[in-house]
Amino acid sequence: MSAARTVVVLGGGTSSEHEVSLASARDIAGAVDAERWRVLLFVQERDGSWTAPDGSRAGFGGLASALAAADVVVPAFHGALGEDGAAAGLLELAGVPYVGSGVGAGALGMDKRVTKLVAADAGVAVAPGIVVTSPTDPRLGTVPLPAVVKPNSGGSSHGLAVATDRDRLRSAVAAALDGDDRVLVEAMVRGREIDVGVLELPDGTLRCSAPLEIVKADDEVFDTDAKYGREPSFALPADLPAALTSTLQEHARTMFRALGCSGLARVDFFVTDAGTVLNEVNTFPGFTSRSQFPRMFAAEGMPYPALVQTLLETALA
């Protein structure tokens, strides 16, 4: 591969996941092989403005010029106006290859309720739930308790809450509506939280990681603070029977294909006494060196720089 090739990494964004996205983008940019690539990191600030690699304000015109000259782009956004297909749409219009899913898969994967409708159609079990737009929705009076409340299109567990009574349920919905105009309310699933990474190789093959378990107390919720406020505890590989591991990996591939994903995805499940239940699909999962997805593939013998290089090669292919 020619050393003259240019990769533009985008990070930050205007969503509540700005800091996580920025950390992912910086780690990705730092892992790109500088002998094979010229790396340019552009940061979208919280106010929507853009900062160039040299620290100056780029303006959208400066960003557009860089994109037009790039060989490949890594849109390392998490959340709205990025991971939801918005960044992919910009890059499609620019006509430049990019890492990750396209417009449709990004939009579907960001919408938790629609993701679960797709999953059910594909034969992957999901928790029963409803989407509400008001804390006074009468259906909240019949939702089984305890219930899990979360913004329908949010990420990094922002706005996630568990409600054990009706008053708490309505207040949790009101709080979640601060971050989204639709809120998903689901029956609480009690089980082990297991993640599976899916990596698309340059030849189109889908490679699944070994399952990773988020180790926590039975009554603990893996919320934003648990993810980023302290060092999370993971078991990798998860201690699961071989047959169950195969089932989870097949369900992960099924969701990747059903949503139309490209490049990478992290598919999160609950494992209960009754079987497996889909939690959600992340079409551009957290990608710092300490995030689940890179850890899973490092355990498979693919260290972080090699993982980044594979994503670039798949995008170009």
Side-chain angles (χ1 to χ4, degrees), residues 10-36:
L10 307 177
T14 59
S15 79
S16 60
E17 298 180 78
H18 175 91
E19 291 298 334
V20 181
S21 169
L22 186 54
S24 291
R26 285 173 172 162
D27 279 9
I28 291 168
V32 173
D33 186 348
E35 294 185 358
R36 306 174 71 182

Side-chain angles (χ1 to χ4, degrees), residues 1 5 7 37 71-75 96-101 199-204 262-264 307-317:
M1 187 176 293
R5 288 184 184 263
V7 55
W37 296 91
D71 291 289
V72 64
V73 177
V74 185
V96 60
Y98 58 91
V99 169
S101 290
L199 176 66
E200 183 181 10
L201 301 180
D203 66 0
S262 300
L264 73 163
L307 179 59
V308 170
Q309 180 63 32
T310 299
L311 290 173
L312 297 177
E313 291 174 358
T314 297
L316 288 170

Side-chain angles (χ1 to χ4, degrees), residues 149-220:
V149 177
K150 63 182 90 171
N152 187 60
S153 297
S156 292
S157 299
H158 290 289
L160 174 67
V162 175
T164 55
D165 60 64
R166 299 296 165 190
D167 289 341
R168 173 59 177 154
L169 177 59
R170 294 185 179 91
S171 64
V173 168
L177 284 168
D178 286 340
D180 197 356
D181 58 2
R182 295 180 301 152
V183 172
L184 178 63
V185 181
E186 292 184 314
M188 185 173 183
V189 177
R190 298 188 183 278
R192 300 166 65 183
E193 292 194 36
I194 307 291
D195 299 344
V196 176
V198 183
L199 176 66
E200 183 181 10
L201 301 180
D203 66 0
T205 302
L206 299 184
R207 175 177 173 180
C208 284
S209 72
L212 173 150
E213 180 171 8
I214 300 167
V215 180
K216 57 184 183 58
D218 290 342
D219 58 349
E220 183 183 3

Side-chain angles (χ1 to χ4, degrees), residues 259-282:
L259 292 175
C261 296
S262 300
L264 73 163
R266 196 191 74 227
V267 187
D268 302 345
F269 299 94
F270 294 105
V271 172
T272 73
D273 291 341
T276 64
V277 178
L278 177 73
N279 184 14
E280 62 183 30
V281 178
N282 296 268

Side-chain angles (χ1 to χ4, degrees), residues 83-132:
E83 188 181 354
D84 59 358
L90 171 65
L91 298 172
E92 290 284 355
L93 291 172
V96 60
Y98 58 91
V99 169
S101 290
V103 178
L108 290 174
M110 184 58 63
D111 190 313
K112 294 180 174 63
R113 181 59 176 162
V114 173
T115 293
K116 294 185 179 189
L117 293 174
V118 172
D121 185 65
V124 178
V126 298
I130 59 173
V131 170
V132 300

Side-chain angles (χ1 to χ4, degrees), residues 8-31 39-47 49-53 55 57 74-83 156 158 228 284-291 304:
V8 172
V9 181
L10 307 177
T14 59
S15 79
S16 60
E17 298 180 78
H18 175 91
E19 291 298 334
V20 181
S21 169
L22 186 54
S24 291
R26 285 173 172 162
D27 279 9
I28 291 168
V39 185
L40 300 175
L41 172 60
F42 280 80
V43 175
Q44 187 179 35
E45 306 297 343
R46 293 181 186 276
D47 64 0
S49 63
W50 290 89
T51 298
R57 287 301 174 103
V74 185
F77 292 115
H78 310 308
L81 294 181
E83 188 181 354
S156 292
H158 290 289
Y228 306 115
F284 203 106
F287 216 91
T288 69
S289 56
R290 65 190 288 269
S291 299
Y304 192 91

